[in-house]
């Protein structure tokens, strides 16, 4: 019995102290961590690509909008230039683009909206240079004069029209009732002359696209008022002398 007990004890001890192999989880955990890291890197890269595409699309849309606005302004600039050149005797065929020019223009549009916008801005520079050349070649044209000298051509004749008529009536009729009527009628005429000059300046000298018309209101009012005051003073002196 003692032998068997000692053997069982030895066997029990052997069973307890025998090494047991366990699964080590280091390798599976490392593989998951590496896959997660790769996933995060791919997600960041995809987000960068998405952001870059959105930025490029926004810039392209803005370039398209700017190009459309530039094209509208340029067309408004070229239309009066073309009409003015035709009035000066330039043949219409000279104002039409040639096939090589059309080919070059089409080639410049291949680069996208940004390239088209750059080409339109270059064309606007050419239009500005053409306006400057036309103004330099036509110094006798009133439209090329400074605003004060140009507007004086409109306000001056209108301001002198009524006083001249009043003086003619005074000379022909002499002091009396006719002179009094001429004086009364001439009182509101400076305002009428100024209003007519204001409208005529806008009609005769229209502003260029993007510019503001300078009607020189102070000069116009002074020009219309001085002859009327001088004429009224002359009529009153003639009436007092008579």
């Amino acid at each position: 019995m003692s032998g068997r007990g000692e053997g069982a004890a030895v066997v029990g001890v052997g069973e307890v102290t025998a090494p047991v192999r366990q699964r080590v989880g280091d390798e599976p955990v490392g593989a998951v961590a590496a896959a997660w890291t790769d996933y995060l890197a791919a997600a960041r890269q995809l987000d960068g690509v998405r952001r870059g595409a959105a930025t490029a699309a926004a810039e392209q849309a803005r370039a398209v909008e700017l190009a459309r606005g530039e094209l509208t302004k340029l067309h408004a600039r070229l239309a009066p230039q073309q009409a003015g050149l035709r009035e000066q005797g330039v043949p219409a065929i000279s104002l039409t683009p040639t096939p090589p020019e059309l080919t070059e223009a089409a080639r410049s549009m291949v680069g996208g909206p940004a390239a088209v916008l750059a080409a339109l801005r270059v064309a606007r520079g050419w239009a500005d240079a053409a306006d400057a050349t036309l103004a330099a070649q036509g110094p006798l044209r009133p439209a090329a004069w400074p605003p004060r000298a140009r507007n004086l051509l409109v306000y001056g004749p209108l301001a002198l029209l009524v006083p001249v008529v009043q003086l003619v009536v005074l000379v022909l009729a002499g002091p009396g009732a006719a002179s009094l009527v001429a004086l009364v009628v001439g009182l509101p005429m400076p305002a009428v002359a100024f209003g007519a000059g204001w409208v005529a300046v806008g009609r005769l000298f229209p502003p260029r696209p993007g510019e503001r018309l300078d009607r020189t209101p102070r000069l116009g009012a002074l020009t219309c008022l001085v002859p009327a005051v001088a004429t009224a003073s002359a009529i009153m002196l003639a009436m007092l002398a008579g």
Side-chain angles (χ1 to χ4, degrees), residues 64-164:
V64 170
E65 183 179 358
L66 293 176
R68 289 177 178 174
E70 193 72 25
L71 180 60
T72 302
K73 295 179 181 178
L74 185 60
H75 185 270
R77 291 283 306 279
L78 294 180
Q81 283 187 1
Q82 186 178 16
L85 291 174
R86 287 183 176 178
E87 291 178 358
Q88 295 181 6
V90 178
I93 191 173
S94 300
L95 303 175
T96 305
T98 61
E101 292 174 344
L102 293 176
T103 303
E104 184 65 24
R107 186 180 303 171
S108 64
M109 297 181 184
V110 178
V116 174
L117 179 60
L120 290 174
R121 288 176 176 173
V122 172
R124 184 181 62 180
W126 292 345
D128 294 338
D131 285 338
T133 302
L134 291 175
Q137 291 179 354
L140 299 180
R141 296 170 52 204
W145 293 7
R148 291 180 176 272
R150 177 194 65 194
N151 297 343
L152 191 60
L153 293 177
V154 179
Y155 290 117
L158 292 174
L160 294 175
L161 181 60
V162 175
V164 168

Side-chain angles (χ1 to χ4, degrees), residues 10-227:
V10 173
V11 172
V13 173
E15 290 178 355
V16 173
T17 59
V20 179
R21 297 185 62 183
Q22 298 179 356
R23 296 181 60 184
V24 180
D26 294 341
E27 294 181 358
V29 172
V32 171
W36 178 253
T37 303
D38 294 341
Y39 170 76
L40 292 179
R44 294 191 188 98
Q45 184 177 4
L46 180 61
D47 184 67
V49 172
R50 182 184 61 81
R51 291 177 181 271
T55 302
E59 293 178 354
Q60 186 175 7
R62 178 173 176 78
V64 170
E65 183 179 358
L66 293 176
R68 289 177 178 174
E70 193 72 25
L71 180 60
T72 302
K73 295 179 181 178
L74 185 60
H75 185 270
R77 291 283 306 279
L78 294 180
Q81 283 187 1
Q82 186 178 16
L85 291 174
R86 287 183 176 178
E87 291 178 358
Q88 295 181 6
V90 178
I93 191 173
S94 300
L95 303 175
T96 305
T98 61
E101 292 174 344
L102 293 176
T103 303
E104 184 65 24
R107 186 180 303 171
S108 64
M109 297 181 184
V110 178
V116 174
L117 179 60
L120 290 174
R121 288 176 176 173
V122 172
R124 184 181 62 180
W126 292 345
D128 294 338
D131 285 338
T133 302
L134 291 175
Q137 291 179 354
L140 299 180
R141 296 170 52 204
W145 293 7
R148 291 180 176 272
R150 177 194 65 194
N151 297 343
L152 191 60
L153 293 177
V154 179
Y155 290 117
L158 292 174
L160 294 175
L161 181 60
V162 175
V164 168
V165 174
Q166 289 176 326
L167 291 176
V168 170
V169 172
L170 177 63
V171 171
L172 295 179
S179 299
L180 181 61
V181 172
L183 178 61
V184 174
V185 171
L187 290 179
M189 295 312 296
V192 176
F194 175 75
W198 180 280
V199 176
V201 168
R203 294 292 182 86
L204 296 176
F205 311 112
R208 298 173 182 174
E211 296 182 357
R212 183 179 180 182
L213 178 62
D214 186 6
R215 288 186 167 91
T216 58
R218 294 182 179 178
L219 176 63
L222 186 63
T223 303
C224 296
L225 185 62
V226 169

